[in-house]
Amino acid sequence: MVADYDIGLPDDWYPVDLSPESSAAWVQQLAWDVAPSEDAKAALAGRLTAVVDAVEGLGTPQLTTAVWIPTPATGELASLLTFGLVQLAAGQGPEAYLATLVADEGKSGPGTTFLEVHTWTAQVDAGIAVGAYNRIAHTEPDGQTRVEERTVIGVLPPRSKEMVECIFTAQASDAFDDIVEQTMGLAATISVVLEKG
């Protein structure tokens, strides 16, 4: 079992405060601290509030969330990261997790279609990383189609029944120069402490 884990995020990534008592104040404080103009502060506060509302709506309080704000002057977020521990089923390892990611290829549901899925595995310090790049089309209620770009990366420590799963969601089509390379670079910083015994 995993006793503790962490990811090494650069200074322009900010952990999101999801506490109902303090999240609104956190939004205003971060927007005020990093954005240089009143317009950028207002835009950024709106984006951050939307993130807080969306993540709270998932109903998974054990997830950790962070946002990437490389150019605060635009008032925009470049990427959203959610990460947390995922329990592995009996006998589930890197191959089984990879198969679940591959299975998304061509998957379609109400308002959602997977347009592109590329998968990979790599060795990182904490174990084996299994990842997927996705392009997903979302049909909005007004009939407009929005294409989401994301990576899903699970890091599976040896002899553990849990993995650390990261989901990086680009907030704009040009957010990353190379989303796979950049998000794998972040996932490679994950450190894991296993329980003894």
Side-chain angles (χ1 to χ4, degrees), residues 73-148:
T74 65
E76 299 290 337
L77 306 177
S79 182
L80 173 68
L81 162 65
T82 57
F83 69 105
L85 284 181
V86 174
Q87 188 74 33
L88 297 172
Q92 186 180 23
E95 297 83 4
Y97 182 60
L98 179 63
T100 66
L101 298 179
V102 170
D104 285 333
E105 189 164 2
K107 189 160 68 174
S108 187
T112 302
T113 302
F114 280 76
L115 303 174
E116 195 176 340
V117 176
H118 298 297
T119 58
W120 67 87
T121 60
Q123 186 70 43
V124 295
D125 288 348
I128 296 177
V130 180
Y133 166 79
N134 302 146
R135 284 179 65 248
I136 307 166
H138 299 278
T139 303
E140 306 291 355
D142 62 2
Q144 296 292 313
T145 298
R146 173 178 60 86
V147 177
E148 172 189 334

Side-chain angles (χ1 to χ4, degrees), residues 130-169:
V130 180
Y133 166 79
N134 302 146
R135 284 179 65 248
I136 307 166
H138 299 278
T139 303
E140 306 291 355
D142 62 2
Q144 296 292 313
T145 298
R146 173 178 60 86
V147 177
E148 172 189 334
E149 186 178 39
R150 75 176 188 188
T151 56
V152 181
I153 304 169
V155 175
L156 293 84
R159 303 176 306 283
S160 175
K161 297 178 181 176
E162 296 169 308
M163 69 173 173
V164 181
E165 185 177 60
C166 306
I167 301 175
F168 295 88
T169 305

